[in-house]
């Protein structure tokens, strides 16, 4: 399910999210559900506002059980401190809301029970998201700084693996509790969410589209022909947005133009693939200006 938030930013709801809401309503936890939804939405709003303040477009927000994921355009170009500020904005909002609830309770604006529920929801979400594993905010901060030394892809693998490990640990703890006669639904839901979301971190849109391009090569060799699509794109368009135009079972080429619609050059799939691998974060105009690789001729 998708909806437009503002501009062209989309909100996507994961199928497990309404399942969690229905389960909490069936367990007569409607008040807790409301506090959790408020904490989650305001947490994600903090990310969005921080990203917009840094000039980063938020393409999509996906609401999932116990968290949400914001897909930022041009995230490869972010410096570690920028990625850290955006990641910390969500937990900071939760901390602020928790403190505000305490002040409201002291001023008799909220009952102690309501304030305690709101504080617990916000602090739980804050601490959960500060865990140093993807897809949590703490993992994004660690991956951003570790990428300086390890490289982006290796850091992504390391911290997404930590996320999977935490998810498996939560499921194991829930299974142990079930064996002791205690059902902790939160452990099973949070563990499943961690595993799913951590694996999704490895399947970024760029990786998925590049995988499709590689499959197209295999399909072309097998069938001998593929339908083609021709696109006209601006030279300042990031390659990460450009590859969203790629689809399976189709060959693509791109006419790159400047602001006055004058042609700058042509970009085929092979050049696009090479530019993404060699110069992540570059634009379509920069990609068409990358010199072709030197050809090796057989020695005479």
């Amino acid at each position: 399910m998708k909806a437009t938030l503002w501009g062209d930013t989309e909100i996507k709801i994961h199928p497990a999210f309404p399942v969690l809401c229905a389960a909490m309503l069936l367990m007569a936890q409607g008040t807790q559900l409301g506090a959790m939804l408020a904490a989650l939405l305001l947490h994600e709003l903090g990310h969005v506002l921080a990203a917009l303040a840094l000039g980063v477009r938020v393409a999509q927000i996906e609401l999932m059980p116990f968290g949400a994921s914001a897909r930022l355009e041009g995230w490869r170009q972010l410096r570690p401190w920028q990625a850290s500020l955006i990641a910390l904005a969500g937990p900071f909002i939760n901390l602020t809301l928790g403190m505000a609830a305490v002040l409201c309770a002291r001023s008799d604006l909220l009952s102690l029970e309501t304030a305690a529920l709101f504080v617990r929801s916000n602090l739980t979400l804050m601490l959960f998201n500060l865990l140093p594993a993807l897809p949590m905010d703490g993992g994004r901060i660690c991956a951003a700084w570790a990428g300086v030394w390890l490289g982006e892809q290796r850091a992504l693998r390391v911290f997404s693996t930590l996320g999977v490990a935490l998810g498996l640990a939560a499921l194991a703890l829930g299974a142990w509790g079930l064996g002791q006669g205690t059902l902790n639904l939160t452990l099973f839901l949070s563990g499943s969410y961690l595993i799913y979301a951590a694996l999704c971190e490895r399947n970024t849109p760029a990786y998925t589209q590049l995988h499709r391009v590689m499959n197209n090569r295999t399909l072309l060799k097998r069938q001998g022909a593929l339908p083609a699509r021709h696109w006209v794109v601006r030279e300042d368009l990031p390659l990460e947005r450009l590859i969203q135009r790629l689809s399976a079972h189709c060959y693509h080429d791109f006419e790159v133009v400047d602001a006055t619609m004058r042609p700058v050059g042509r970009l085929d799939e092979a050049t696009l693939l090479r530019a993404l691998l060699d110069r992540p974060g570059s634009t379509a105009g920069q990609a068409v200006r990358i010199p072709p690789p030197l050809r090796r001729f057989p020695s005479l």
Side-chain angles (χ1 to χ4, degrees):
M1 177 180 176
K2 294 182 179 180
T4 301
L5 180 63
W6 66 74
D8 53 356
T9 300
E10 291 182 340
I11 288 185
K12 179 181 178 182
I13 300 178
H14 188 268
F17 187 78
V19 173
L20 172 64
C21 296
M24 295 184 70
L25 289 175
L26 289 174
M27 292 186 295
Q29 296 181 356
T31 305
Q32 183 176 348
L33 174 62
M36 184 196 73
L37 289 178
L40 178 61
L41 292 176
L42 291 172
H43 172 101
E44 207 59 35
L45 180 61
H47 290 313
V48 172
L49 293 178
L52 294 177
L54 291 173
V56 179
R57 176 179 172 269
V58 181
Q60 185 185 80
I61 297 173
E62 183 178 9
L63 297 179
M64 295 180 282
F66 298 98
S69 176
R71 183 162 62 84
L72 306 180
E73 213 169 72
W75 61 272
R76 291 175 181 266
Q77 300 174 354
L78 292 178
R79 297 179 180 179
W81 68 267
Q82 293 174 313
S84 299
L85 285 179
I86 295 174
L88 286 173
F92 176 76
I93 289 292
N94 294 129
L95 178 61
T96 303
L97 291 172
M99 296 173 62
V102 172
L103 293 176
C104 288
R106 290 184 176 181
S107 303
D108 294 329
L109 297 177
L110 287 176
S111 66
L112 289 177
E113 182 180 353
T114 302
L117 178 60
F118 202 63
V119 169
R120 185 166 60 250
S121 299
N122 278 278
L123 291 185
T124 299
L125 188 60
M126 181 192 74
L127 295 175
F128 183 76
N129 274 278
L130 287 178
L131 291 174
L134 289 169
M136 280 79 74
D137 298 324
R140 297 190 185 281
I141 296 171
C142 293
W145 289 101
V148 177
W149 298 281
L150 299 179
E152 180 184 330
Q153 294 302 321
R154 184 178 298 178
L156 186 67
R157 288 195 299 268
V158 169
F159 289 98
S160 61
T161 300
L162 284 176
V164 173
L166 284 175
L168 291 174
L171 292 178
L173 188 59
W176 179 83
L178 191 60
Q180 300 297 315
T182 303
L183 173 61
N184 191 329
L185 188 61
T186 301
L187 286 174
F188 287 103
L189 290 175
S190 60
S192 301
Y193 160 72
L194 280 174
I195 295 172
Y196 164 80
L199 292 176
C200 285
E201 290 291 332
R202 299 187 180 189
N203 299 324
T204 58
Y207 177 84
T208 302
Q209 300 294 354
L210 289 178
H211 185 66
R212 288 180 178 179
V213 173
M214 301 305 294
N215 285 341
N216 285 345
R217 292 184 179 183
T218 303
L219 190 64
L220 180 60
K221 289 181 181 180
R222 184 169 66 247
Q223 297 183 353
L226 279 178
R229 289 182 181 177
H230 180 73
W231 297 87
V232 178
V233 298
R234 302 193 317 266
E235 64 175 348
D236 61 340
L237 191 71
L239 293 183
E240 289 183 357
R241 287 192 61 185
L242 188 58
I243 60 173
Q244 295 176 13
R245 301 293 182 183
L246 302 182
S247 58
H249 305 175
C250 186
Y251 179 82
H252 306 77
D253 72 306
F254 303 89
E255 182 77 23
V256 183
V257 298
D258 60 14
T260 62
M261 296 295 291
R262 296 181 60 182
V264 175
R266 297 182 72 87
L267 191 60
D268 55 35
E269 286 188 356
T271 307
L272 175 61
L273 176 62
R274 183 163 55 89
L276 281 168
L277 294 176
D278 294 344
R279 301 184 183 182
S282 57
T283 63
Q286 293 169 338
V288 298
R289 296 181 178 91
I290 297 177
L294 295 176
R295 297 185 177 181
R296 297 182 179 178
F297 295 93
S299 57
L300 299 178

